[in-house]
Amino acid sequence: QVQLVESGGDSVQAGGSLRLSCAVSGDISRPYCMGWFRQSQRQKQREAVACISAADNSTHYVDAVNGRFTISRDDAKNMVYLQMNNLGPEDTARYYCARHRRITFCGTDWGLRTMYVDWGPGTQVTVSS
């Protein structure tokens, strides 16, 4: 099993930036594809935000954040990051780091919650207008 702990959440004004971090520990003998999800108070389910493949660091983003958010990883440090720029009130949510089932590529189904097997407790991001 893999343990995930997010950090970096904060309250910012619209237009600001934040960098979320996810520390990965446990059974990490090999790198996995990793994702970020978010859930606002209005949402019943978590929304996929981004995924980064283990094989070649290729990335996938939901349309709402494409061009503003960047997912990255540092396997030597067992860390995954989400750089968030030009934040808006619509980005207010609790952000979760998640380990994907695959060890190669995220795949076209990267946005399905069922493809992720381990989750962190989340970190809160609040954006005021």
Side-chain angles (χ1 to χ4, degrees), residues 8-62:
D10 204 346
S11 296
V12 297
Q13 290 192 332
S17 298
L18 283 175
R19 187 196 196 200
L20 305 183
S21 299
C22 173
V24 184
S25 62
D27 181 15
I28 50 176
S29 57
R30 62 180 62 182
Y32 289 91
C33 300
M34 298 294 296
W36 283 95
F37 281 69
R38 66 185 180 183
Q39 186 171 13
S40 69
Q41 291 185 343
R42 297 180 291 105
Q43 293 173 312
K44 294 183 178 180
Q45 293 183 344
R46 295 177 187 179
E47 171 191 34
V49 175
C51 185
I52 184 166
S53 295
D56 63 356
N57 287 344
S58 56
T59 56
H60 303 263
Y61 300 94
V62 67

Side-chain angles (χ1 to χ4, degrees), residues 5-12 17-23 35-38 49 69-73 79-85 87 91 93-97 122-126:
V5 178
E6 305 90 340
S7 61
D10 204 346
S11 296
V12 297
S17 298
L18 283 175
R19 187 196 196 200
L20 305 183
S21 299
C22 173
W36 283 95
F37 281 69
R38 66 185 180 183
V49 175
F69 290 12
T70 302
I71 187 172
S72 62
R73 63 191 299 155
M79 297 292 294
V80 182
Y81 305 99
L82 186 67
Q83 176 67 41
M84 306 186 296
N85 297 328
L87 286 162
D91 297 314
R94 191 164 187 86
Y95 285 72
Y96 299 88
C97 178
T123 186
Q124 180 66 34
V125 172
T126 303

Side-chain angles (χ1 to χ4, degrees), residues 90-105:
E90 68 277 9
D91 297 314
T92 294
R94 191 164 187 86
Y95 285 72
Y96 299 88
C97 178
R99 178 178 73 87
H100 200 284
R101 295 178 182 273
R102 300 192 182 107
I103 60 172
T104 52
F105 299 98

